[in-house]
Amino acid sequence: MTVPVATTLPATADTVVLFAFADVEPDLSLFGESVSSAFNAGFVRRKANDITPLFEANRRVIVVGLGDAKDHTLIRLKRAAGSAVRYLADRNVSAATVLAPEDDGAAGAAVIAEAAVLGSFDSGDRKSTERPIPFETLTIVSRAPGAAEAVERARIVAEASNEARRLVNCPAADLPPAELARRAVELAGACGLDARTFSVAEMEALGMVGCLAVGRGSRNAPSFTVLKHTPNPGEAPIVLVGKGLCFDSGGISLKPGADMHHMKDDMAGGAAVIGALVAAARLKLPVNVVGIIPAAENMPGGDAYRPSDVLTFGNGKTVEIVNTDAEGRLVLADGLVYGEREFKPKAIVDLATLTGACVISLGGDISGVFSADDALANALVAAGDAATEPAWRLPMYKAYRSKFDSGIADMTNAGDRWGGSITAALFLAEFVESTPFAHIDIAGPAFDDTEKAWLARGGTGYGVALLIEYLSRL
C-alpha cells in the first residue's frame, strides 16, 4: 500500500476523508455548499468513528467523527482513520485522500498512515466468496514539518505488523514450528537480516529442555530461530524473545474445548518479534537487535511431557512440572538463557501471550509490563504510549516467589491461580542472571475475535510498533 503526503488537497481527489469533532466546527473552505449545508442541517454524525458520506459534483466527502475535542487522543484518531479505510474498502474504493488534523502535527499524519495500512488488512483471505478490491493508496494532506518522514516510517512499521498478523491468523495445521521458522528466515532474507534455525540435535546439545519437553507430544518437532540486525558489529545488542507456541492444547492438562481454536494465536509474541526485526532492518535502525523465537506445539500425545516431570534447564535450574498448560514460560526460559549467555545483551525483553490473569487485570487493549528495572519498564511503557499500543506496569512482587516453591526441584512451573501473571513474570526472571530484563504479557491485545470498525478480527500485530518505538529511542 502506498501512503504519499501532499501539502494541499489535490484537485484530482475524488474521495476525501474529513475528520470532525462533535463540539468544534471544521474548516469547510475546501468544500462546496452541499457539504456546508449538511453540517448546518445537523445531518453529519460526529461521535467517535461515526461515518457520514456526503457528495459534491465531482467528489465524495467521507466525514468521520472524532467525538469531543477534549477527549481527543492519537488512539482515537487512529481508530477513526482505520474506520474510514475499512468503510471505503468494503465499498470497493481503492484510493482516497485524507485531511490530517493540523493540531496533531506529524504524529497525527503518522497515526493515519499506520491506521490505513492496518485497516486495509484482509483477514478473510481464505473465504471462497469474492473479496473486495484491495485498498491501495491513501494520500495524506499535511503541512506539518517532518510529516513525510513520519508517514513513511509508520507505513513500514504497520506493514511489518501485518506480516505478524498473517502469521498469527494462519491455521495451526499450516504453521507448525518448522514452518514458522521457515517463514521467519524467508522474511529475514528479504530485508537483509541474518537468520539461523537450530536443529533438534543442536537444541538438545544446548540444553533447550523447555522447547523439547513441550514439543514432545506433537509429531511436529519444535524449532528455535535467531534473527540478527547488526548495524554496529561489536556492540552489545538488545535481545527480544517471542513465545512461539504454534498451537496450545494445554497438553495433558487439557484446555476446555470452547475456545481452543483461538490457541493458534499463542505464537503472537514470536510473530511480533519477527515483525519487529523486519521493521528494524527496513528502517535501518542504528541499534543491534537479536530476535529469538523458541517454538513448539503443546499436544497430549503418547510421548507428551507430564505433571511430575522435572526439567533441568541450560542455566542449571530445575523445574518440576505441575501443569502442562503453563508451557509458554518453559519455551521462553530456553530463549532467555540462550539470549543472555550467547549475546551478553544490554537488555532482554520478552513478549508472550502468557496468562489469562493479565487479561482479567488489564482487559483486551493493554499489555502488562513486568520488570525489576525501573528505567527499562518506564521506557517500554512510554514507547507503548507513543506507538498507540498501550502498556501498563504491573509489580514484580517478590513475596509471590514462594507460590512456585517445589519440594523436589528449584521451582514448579506454576503457582496458584491468584496473581498468576505476576508469578509467571517471576518465574521467567529466574532465567536471567544479571541483564536488565522485562516481560511483556500480550495475552489481551494480541488477538481480537470481534470485528472492529477500524480493525479486522484476528491477530492485531500488537507489539511490533511498541518494540520499534522502544528501539528507536535508544
Side-chain angles (χ1 to χ4, degrees):
M1 179 177 178
T2 59
V3 192
V5 175
T7 56
T8 58
L9 180 65
T12 56
D14 58 4
T15 301
V16 179
V17 176
L18 171 67
F19 296 108
F21 290 110
D23 54 349
V24 178
E25 294 308 311
D27 178 7
L28 301 177
S29 60
L30 296 175
F31 302 97
E33 181 63 29
S34 60
V35 172
S36 298
S37 297
F39 273 90
N40 293 335
F43 178 74
V44 179
R45 299 173 302 180
R46 292 192 257 176
K47 291 182 180 179
N49 302 320
D50 274 354
I51 293 178
T52 307
L54 303 175
F55 297 90
E56 295 187 317
N58 60 338
R59 64 187 172 195
R60 293 167 286 204
V61 179
I62 309 301
V63 183
V64 186
L66 291 176
D68 291 342
K70 64 181 175 59
D71 298 323
H72 184 59
T73 63
L74 288 180
I75 288 180
R76 181 166 284 196
L77 177 61
K78 178 179 176 180
R79 291 179 172 180
S83 299
V85 167
R86 284 174 57 75
Y87 174 89
L88 294 170
D90 285 345
R91 287 154 181 79
N92 287 322
V93 177
S94 61
T97 299
V98 60
L99 301 175
E102 289 188 8
D103 289 348
D104 289 324
V111 158
I112 292 169
E114 179 187 10
V117 175
L118 296 176
S120 64
F121 180 82
D122 182 10
S123 63
D125 58 349
R126 294 184 182 234
K127 291 185 177 182
S128 61
T129 53
E130 185 175 350
R131 307 304 298 152
I133 296 171
F135 193 90
E136 295 177 345
T137 305
L138 186 74
T139 302
I140 298 175
V141 178
S142 174
R143 292 177 293 180
E149 295 81 2
V151 162
E152 178 59 11
R153 179 183 183 278
R155 184 194 67 79
I156 290 171
V157 174
E159 292 284 7
S161 297
N162 281 350
E163 296 285 7
R165 294 169 76 188
R166 289 185 187 94
L167 292 171
V168 174
N169 287 350
C170 191
D174 295 344
L175 197 76
E179 178 62 12
L180 176 62
R182 188 196 69 77
R183 294 197 191 186
V185 171
E186 182 178 66
L187 286 167
C191 59
L193 292 167
D194 293 328
R196 180 185 178 188
T197 297
F198 292 87
S199 68
V200 169
E202 289 172 319
M203 293 169 67
E204 290 171 343
L206 290 165
M208 296 177 178
V209 295
C211 279
L212 294 167
V214 173
R216 262 176 34 200
S218 173
R219 67 179 182 180
N220 295 311
S223 67
F224 193 94
T225 304
V226 178
L227 309 178
K228 292 191 289 185
H229 170 65
T230 316
N232 305 307
E235 273 192 22
I238 302 296
V239 166
L240 308 176
V241 182
K243 175 184 172 185
L245 259 293
C246 294
F247 190 78
D248 179 20
S249 71
I252 288 176
S253 305
L254 194 66
K255 290 179 181 291
D259 292 322
M260 198 186 292
H261 62 288
H262 292 157
M263 287 299 100
K264 68 177 184 177
D265 79 341
D266 215 15
M267 38 63 69
V273 167
I274 294 168
L277 266 291
V278 167
R282 290 174 179 167
L283 291 169
K284 296 180 171 59
L285 289 187
V287 58
N288 292 348
V289 190
V290 174
I292 296 175
I293 305 95
E297 280 187 343
N298 188 20
M299 301 291 281
D303 194 34
Y305 79 125
R306 297 163 291 265
S308 79
D309 287 354
V310 174
L311 307 179
T312 302
F313 282 81
N315 65 346
K317 295 195 174 182
T318 57
V319 176
E320 178 190 5
I321 304 302
V322 295
N323 183 346
T324 64
D325 194 25
E327 85 301 323
R329 62 202 69 183
L330 302 177
V331 302
L332 287 170
D334 287 339
L336 296 174
V337 170
Y338 179 82
E340 184 176 42
R341 183 177 60 199
E342 183 71 16
F343 299 105
K344 298 176 176 55
K346 296 177 181 177
I348 302 177
V349 179
D350 86 75
L351 274 79
T353 49
L354 207 63
T355 65
C358 198
V359 186
I360 292 170
S361 298
L362 299 176
D365 290 346
I366 307 169
S367 68
V369 175
F370 299 83
S371 181
D373 187 289
D374 290 343
L376 179 56
N378 293 338
L380 291 167
V381 171
D385 287 342
T388 64
E389 291 190 337
W392 194 262
R393 189 180 185 184
L394 292 171
M396 293 281 278
Y397 186 54
K398 291 184 179 180
Y400 285 179
R401 170 61 178 81
S402 61
K403 286 177 176 284
F404 53 94
D405 283 347
S406 168
I408 64 170
D410 294 329
M411 67 197 94
T412 62
N413 73 320
D416 59 34
R417 63 180 297 193
W418 310 114
S421 57
I422 299 173
T423 54
L426 290 169
F427 178 93
L428 292 172
E430 295 279 335
F431 297 90
V432 180
E433 296 295 333
S434 59
T435 306
F437 164 65
H439 158 61
I440 307 180
D441 194 328
I442 64 171
F447 190 90
D448 194 336
D449 200 37
T450 59
E451 194 82 12
K452 295 288 196 300
W454 57 87
L455 200 68
R457 69 179 63 192
T460 64
Y462 181 98
V464 176
L466 184 158
L467 290 174
I468 290 298
E469 184 66 26
Y470 163 68
L471 294 169
S472 297
R473 293 177 173 211
L474 295 177

